[in-house]
Amino acid sequence: MSAACKKLINTVEQCVDENLEGLVAVNPGLQLLEGLRVVVRTDVGPNVVGAGKVSLLSGGGSGHEPAHAGYVGPGMLTAAVAGSVFASPPPYSILAGIKAVSAPGSGTIGLSLTPCSIPGSGPSFHIADDEMELGLGVHGEAGVKRTKLVSAKEAVKMMIDHMTNSSNCTHLPVKEGDRVACMINNLGGTSMLELNIIAKEAIELLERRGVLVERAYCGTYITSLEMAGISITLLHLDDTLRRCLDAPTTAPAWPHPLLPPGTLTRQTPVRMPRENIQAQVTKTGPKMATIGSAEASLIFDCLKLAGERLVAAESQLNELDRESGDGDCGSTMARGAQGILTSLGSKDSPNLPVSCPGDLALTLASAAEDTMGGSSGGLYSLFFTAASASLQTKVSPDAYCEALKAGIQTMMKYGGAEPGDRTMLDPLHSASQAWSVALSSHTPLEAFRLAVEAAEKSAEETAKMKAQAGRASYVSADHLKNPDPGARAVAVWFRAVLEALSS
């Protein structure tokens, strides 16, 4: 295992979900929507949606935390841990140099994956790629032991077990019924994603042991330059100490975890049922136009074939994306397509609203957000949401063309790209123009065929365009020799829809 792969996570597949679980555990004024990677305020129903308001805190960015995060809690370690008991053996038992009133009954233990270094110098010590060190100091002072790299859950148990072990002369007694504050600190080189996962595991472990975690903090408080690692601090609380932690301060970086309105102590929140939000959003929505069974069957076929073609094109699109990005465009599109295919159901009993194109467009918008992710997922979500508005009262070839145009305009407005910028917008715009003209003089199917051909031609022409938007705009034009992967993906699903309609 290389040093670049050393992360305090449990599994790659669950790290985003567990990161979000940690976020809401630290900030129980937030809740996760059941079945979604979406965090909302606990009062979003009555105070926001119920009042007809729209509120957006943030979006996206797993792995870029705290950028794009709705709650950011960087701060500084203050008197809450002054004089804390550390896991390091003497003479490092007390944090030297701090002249402050110490908080009684607090303890801190650190864990490092990589060494720290003084600017201009190399690493102050060496840790093997498959090792971690327990109990080291913030200046690189030796810890109590080194172990092989373990999961986040195992690491947290190791840390808290050592901190609270009565056989250690520096231990912190923590028993069932105790009230504590828990601080998860970034030693400098640990991502917010990892910190939230550690927070989740620490709070869950303490709560399983009957400890009342009345305050929790997670962020960057005291660092050791770029050391990849974390420290966990536990502080015994009483009402006075808790009020001190909550007291107003002009220190700009001291965090105040978000609690539900009217509450004084934190509790790990349960997940908010998705229906709580959906019911309030849809109960006053317009009744949308529907289509007959034959046309609904065609739409089912279009979705199925388009999804299958995008899944099959994953490697090809990823290869195109390596020119300008991280090589995941195909995987992003395939993930979204597979999500739709999984939800599609059977032709005789579809699970998606194929008989109501407007409602289907909204469903596809949600799918793009939920399963596709990334910037492409956000743009496709905008696209389908806007397209839905054109299909509310009527469904016809002209309405579909108008829906395409509405989706493009919304993508341009919020995405910032324009035709000619070497993005997926280029084939969409070319198809829209060709379709609009052809509908006046051709059959609907022939008009759509011309739109598809225009999209395919435009997608290939992006190879000669100068990138003006998206990640490719940061790359030298000398390195961009092939079509834009997002544009090629549009051509792939457009062609699949045409083939399904023509069969």
Side-chain angles (χ1 to χ4, degrees), residues 25-26 199-208 213 216 266 268:
V26 171
K200 164 192 177 293
E201 297 297 347
I203 292 170
E204 284 185 354
L205 183 147
L206 291 167
E207 290 182 337
R208 283 197 302 272
V213 184
R266 68 153 298 285
T268 301

Side-chain angles (χ1 to χ4, degrees), residues 57-82:
L57 287 182
S58 67
S62 294
H64 298 290
E65 298 86 358
H68 312 302
Y71 168 84
V72 182
M76 54 189 294
L77 200 65
T78 63
V81 294

Side-chain angles (χ1 to χ4, degrees), residues 300-488:
F300 181 96
D301 292 341
C302 290
L303 284 173
K304 186 172 185 296
L305 189 58
E308 291 170 348
R309 291 289 173 81
L310 286 172
V311 170
E314 179 176 0
S315 297
Q316 173 202 125
L317 296 175
N318 280 345
E319 186 61 33
L320 289 176
D321 194 33
R322 290 190 182 97
E323 270 193 350
S324 60
D326 45 12
D328 67 347
C329 177
S331 298
T332 298
M333 297 301 300
R335 187 166 58 245
Q338 189 59 60
I340 293 170
L341 289 172
T342 301
S343 303
L344 193 53
S346 66
K347 195 168 185 177
D348 293 334
S349 181
N351 293 327
L352 298 184
V354 292
S355 62
C356 181
D359 195 13
L360 176 62
L362 289 178
T363 302
L364 295 178
S366 295
E369 257 187 312
D370 297 345
T371 60
M372 184 181 294
S375 57
S376 295
L379 289 170
Y380 270 108
S381 181
L382 288 169
F383 174 83
F384 284 117
T385 299
S388 172
S390 298
L391 300 170
Q392 287 184 1
T393 59
K394 65 175 182 177
V395 179
S396 65
D398 287 334
Y400 286 124
C401 187
E402 286 300 314
L404 175 60
K405 187 182 299 183
I408 291 169
Q409 290 172 344
T410 299
M411 289 174 67
M412 291 172 61
K413 179 179 179 180
Y414 294 105
E418 296 182 0
D421 283 352
R422 198 183 192 273
T423 69
M424 66 175 173
L425 187 66
D426 292 299
L428 288 170
H429 182 259
S430 295
S432 175
Q433 287 190 315
W435 199 3
S436 181
V437 171
L439 276 173
S440 63
S441 56
H442 294 76
T443 64
L445 183 59
E446 184 60 27
F448 186 69
R449 184 186 305 279
L450 293 173
V452 172
E453 291 173 355
E456 291 175 331
K457 181 181 178 182
S458 179
E460 295 308 304
E461 288 176 347
T462 58
K464 303 174 184 177
M465 295 178 183
K466 181 180 179 181
Q468 302 288 344
R471 191 179 289 119
S473 62
Y474 311 138
V475 179
S476 170
D478 295 337
H479 297 297
L480 301 175
K481 305 296 184 184
N482 292 302
D484 176 77
R488 176 69 69 78

Side-chain angles (χ1 to χ4, degrees), residues 122-334:
S124 57
F125 56 93
H126 175 74
I127 299 179
D129 288 347
D130 63 345
E131 288 183 334
M132 60 203 311
E133 183 162 350
L134 178 70
L136 77 172
V138 293
H139 305 111
E141 300 93 338
V144 293
K145 67 177 180 179
R146 289 194 178 184
T147 71
K148 292 298 183 181
L149 195 65
V150 297
S151 70
K153 183 184 290 290
E154 293 170 295
V156 166
K157 184 177 186 301
M158 181 191 304
M159 295 172 75
I160 294 180
D161 281 351
H162 187 92
M163 185 196 301
T164 60
N165 187 344
S166 60
S167 64
N168 297 327
C169 63
T170 59
H171 80 283
L172 176 72
V174 178
K175 64 183 184 303
E176 183 178 355
D178 283 350
R179 303 160 58 191
V180 303
C182 177
M183 175 181 282
I184 309 301
N185 172 59
N186 172 20
L187 288 173
T190 308
S191 68
M192 199 67 207
L193 180 144
E194 292 167 274
L195 292 175
N196 278 333
I197 293 173
I198 293 295
K200 164 192 177 293
E201 297 297 347
I203 292 170
E204 284 185 354
L205 183 147
L206 291 167
E207 290 182 337
R208 283 197 302 272
R209 297 180 180 182
V211 178
L212 305 176
V213 184
E214 294 190 354
R215 289 293 179 272
Y217 306 91
C218 182
T220 303
Y221 303 99
I222 184 168
T223 66
S224 186
L225 297 177
E226 74 281 8
M227 181 186 286
I230 51 103
S231 63
I232 298 177
T233 295
L234 296 180
L235 167 67
H236 281 287
L237 285 183
D238 54 27
D239 291 345
T240 299
L241 278 176
R242 194 180 68 196
R243 285 196 300 270
C244 289
L245 288 176
D246 294 343
T249 175
T250 57
W254 179 250
H256 287 282
L258 178 61
L259 298 176
T263 63
L264 295 177
T265 59
R266 68 153 298 285
Q267 290 183 330
T268 301
V270 298
R271 291 182 179 244
M272 181 183 293
R274 211 167 155 172
E275 293 74 15
N276 286 15
I277 301 299
Q278 290 177 328
Q280 294 178 73
V281 172
T282 60
K283 66 182 180 182
T284 59
K287 185 177 181 180
M288 296 192 183
T290 58
I291 56 178
S293 58
E295 191 172 343
S297 178
L298 276 177
I299 289 181
F300 181 96
D301 292 341
C302 290
L303 284 173
K304 186 172 185 296
L305 189 58
E308 291 170 348
R309 291 289 173 81
L310 286 172
V311 170
E314 179 176 0
S315 297
Q316 173 202 125
L317 296 175
N318 280 345
E319 186 61 33
L320 289 176
D321 194 33
R322 290 190 182 97
E323 270 193 350
S324 60
D326 45 12
D328 67 347
C329 177
S331 298
T332 298
M333 297 301 300

